[in-house]
Amino acid sequence: MLYLVILKMGPHKKNQCDYFIEIFDSHCNETDNHTLLQEIIENRKTFISNQLGESNIGNLADLFSTQAAKDIIGKQASPTLPKHYFLIEQVALRLFGCLLSCWTELEIFRTIKNSTLTIIQNADNAHHTYNSPVINEHFHYEIVADIALDTRLFHTEFCDQPLRLSDAIVLINIATFIKEHQWYEMLGMLNISSKGEHFILYQFNDKSAYPNIISSALINSAPTSRNWLFFDDFFQSSKWQPIHQSYSILNLECATKISTTLGKSQLMNKSSDDIEKSIFSSILDHKKVCEAIRLTVSGSKSKANFYLYLAQKGLANALKESGRDVVFTIIEKPAMVLFYQSMNIDTPEASPYLFTSAQDINKNGVVTYKGIWLLKNATLAFNQYNFKEYNVKIIGLRKLLRNH
């Protein structure tokens, strides 16, 4: 069957890619092996990592772009995989340029296909009630307790047809985090994006009965903190440099109704993971604490900054209204980082974000930050500053940093 795929490929590359993905997915269904491509990638990842040893410190995108990877993938068959896997690898590499890109397109295809089938099968049980608070006049926001149980349909900019909420969020995560920012690690954990508590921001238009999703974020409660991305081994290693803010604990206590058992002197000279774990364990009322990750923003590029502003504003208000006071987060969008840094400089006594650690993961100048959102201060900040004033804060600090 796989040989026929190669023989039947037409002259247009897009058609070839689409055809390969469709036939490959059918092959996986027929053989009941839905992780075949993932097996190839994991095998190659292990082999390349062993060759590089400690010299490799980046993520999957960085690992698969090394010269070691280029010398192996598509050129040397793996001695521990079936022979026909190497043919799949070669075709995927030729069509998509990278195994990870091929895996990404496969999951996009599967998400849309499965959502379409589910909508058809459950058409009689669907409900389409959209009642939620509004910000900036036209944008709705809400927290959904479990998106897996939500039967409403939403449009995304990545698909012509409306999708179930959970599938729409998965598709947006793939298109933004994975396809755009190359966080391929998420491909093996897409199920996390299809269930559980989520924040959503959406907007109606006159052309459709279904709204467009602008933003979403996954919310994890304190009882599941052992599984938080924030405390994952990758984000708790010695490669993360601690950031000491002398007013951190004072702000944590003043900006919330949470009592802590930790003094700021106890944080000095500690590693980043010790600081973060100490802060979390010191908070006595964990019902007011959560993790918010996978904050997505989608839409036209001309409105990207405005949507990012709205997403933060909506998320801060939604979490505050849900009874949360403290949010553990991981961010790397420059606009977000600059706004919080600017606010911390201007009003350190009412800091909206406490930076705890940072790392340039791929050594490419894009710094990822970990920290704690203080919702009392964050909601005040976003409700105080409109989009224009928010931009002024960002641009002002950017100019200041350039001059130094």
Side-chain angles (χ1 to χ4, degrees):
M1 185 277 298
L2 292 172
Y3 288 99
L4 291 176
V5 170
I6 300 172
L7 292 173
K8 289 183 179 180
M9 284 180 177
H12 302 293
K13 189 167 185 180
K14 185 182 186 306
N15 292 339
Q16 292 178 357
C17 293
D18 292 345
Y19 181 66
F20 175 78
I21 291 294
E22 185 175 351
I23 296 299
F24 180 74
D25 183 59
S26 295
H27 173 73
C28 292
N29 291 330
E30 291 167 4
T31 58
D32 198 27
N33 185 359
H34 302 283
T35 60
L36 193 159
L37 192 56
Q38 189 175 351
E39 289 175 35
I40 297 174
I41 290 170
E42 285 297 321
N43 181 277
R44 292 313 204 180
K45 173 188 171 183
T46 301
F47 191 79
I48 297 165
S49 297
N50 290 339
Q51 281 207 340
L52 293 173
E54 292 297 321
S55 64
N56 176 66
I57 60 172
N59 57 16
L60 268 180
D62 183 56
L63 181 68
F64 274 67
S65 64
T66 60
Q67 189 58 49
K70 294 174 184 177
D71 292 339
I72 294 167
I73 298 174
K75 296 177 181 177
Q76 301 176 28
S78 170
T80 58
L81 291 178
K83 290 182 179 180
H84 71 279
Y85 279 31
F86 187 51
L87 174 63
I88 295 172
E89 179 179 300
Q90 289 178 310
V91 176
L93 186 65
R94 178 162 69 85
L95 291 176
F96 299 92
C98 174
L99 290 177
L100 300 172
S101 296
C102 180
W103 189 11
T104 302
E105 296 302 326
L106 175 65
E107 295 303 336
I108 289 174
F109 173 82
R110 286 174 170 173
T111 300
I112 295 173
K113 184 187 74 171
N114 293 338
S115 188
T116 303
L117 291 174
T118 304
I119 290 170
I120 294 172
Q121 293 168 358
N122 297 279
D124 295 337
N125 300 321
H127 73 278
H128 303 134
T129 303
Y130 306 84
N131 295 320
S132 59
V134 179
I135 56 173
N136 288 59
E137 298 182 6
H138 305 296
F139 297 88
H140 299 252
Y141 70 90
E142 63 180 278
I143 288 180
V144 181
D146 187 355
I147 59 171
L149 305 178
D150 199 306
T151 61
R152 292 177 296 174
L153 304 183
F154 291 83
H155 281 290
T156 75
E157 67 166 318
F158 309 108
C159 180
D160 294 333
Q161 65 202 56
L163 305 175
R164 282 170 60 96
L165 176 59
S166 57
D167 296 312
I169 289 176
V170 169
L171 182 60
I172 292 172
N173 277 320
I174 296 174
T176 55
F177 284 118
I178 301 172
K179 195 168 183 177
E180 182 179 350
H181 296 293
Q182 299 187 330
W183 278 104
Y184 294 110
E185 285 79 1
M186 290 178 63
L187 284 168
M189 301 180 289
L190 288 177
N191 64 312
I192 295 175
S193 294
S194 65
K195 60 186 179 181
E197 188 176 13
H198 277 72
F199 159 82
I200 56 173
L201 175 74
Y202 54 94
Q203 181 185 28
F204 284 96
N205 63 61
D206 297 332
K207 298 179 181 179
S208 174
Y210 309 114
N212 296 316
I213 284 200
I214 304 297
S215 175
S216 70
L218 170 63
I219 302 165
N220 292 316
S221 60
T224 65
S225 61
R226 289 185 179 181
N227 298 321
W228 282 11
L229 185 66
F230 194 95
F231 293 121
D232 183 81
D233 290 343
F234 180 85
F235 291 96
Q236 289 288 298
S237 73
S238 59
K239 295 168 187 173
W240 291 84
Q241 300 302 309
I243 299 174
H244 296 283
Q245 293 177 246
S246 59
Y247 45 84
S248 293
I249 294 302
L250 178 62
N251 270 320
L252 185 61
E253 294 175 341
C254 292
T256 71
K257 297 178 181 179
I258 294 175
S259 298
T260 69
T261 58
L262 191 67
K264 63 182 180 182
S265 61
Q266 293 176 259
L267 300 181
M268 300 305 295
N269 302 317
K270 282 192 172 186
S271 64
S272 62
D273 56 323
D274 283 339
I275 291 173
E276 290 158 356
K277 289 175 181 175
S278 295
I279 291 176
F280 179 81
S281 62
S282 73
I283 299 172
L284 301 181
D285 188 357
H286 279 172
K287 289 183 293 185
K288 295 184 176 293
V289 183
C290 68
E291 175 190 50
I293 56 172
R294 301 191 177 192
L295 176 63
T296 62
V297 175
S298 60
S300 64
K301 290 185 178 180
S302 62
K303 295 184 178 180
N305 288 335
F306 177 56
Y307 288 156
L308 180 60
Y309 162 79
L310 283 180
Q312 294 173 84
K313 182 177 181 178
L315 178 60
N317 279 287
L319 287 173
K320 193 77 178 70
E321 291 160 8
S322 74
R324 273 62 174 246
D325 285 334
V326 174
V327 186
F328 286 70
T329 67
I330 302 168
I331 62 175
E332 65 178 22
K333 291 184 182 295
M336 294 176 67
V337 174
L338 288 168
F339 179 71
Y340 298 140
Q341 289 175 334
S342 176
M343 292 299 297
N344 289 353
I345 292 170
D346 291 349
T347 55
E349 73 285 352
S351 169
Y353 194 89
L354 307 179
F355 293 90
T356 58
S357 61
Q359 183 189 170
D360 184 347
I361 295 172
N362 289 331
K363 305 302 179 187
N364 59 3
V366 178
V367 179
T368 300
Y369 291 89
K370 297 179 66 185
I372 301 169
W373 223 15
L374 302 180
L375 290 177
K376 177 183 176 182
N377 295 341
T379 52
L380 285 173
F382 282 108
N383 293 329
Q384 175 184 356
Y385 295 103
N386 60 31
F387 177 59
K388 182 178 180 180
E389 294 164 334
Y390 163 86
N391 261 340
V392 168
K393 289 283 185 184
I394 294 169
I395 294 169
L397 182 57
R398 185 179 283 127
K399 287 181 178 178
L400 181 65
L401 293 174
R402 284 176 181 169
N403 293 332
H404 286 75

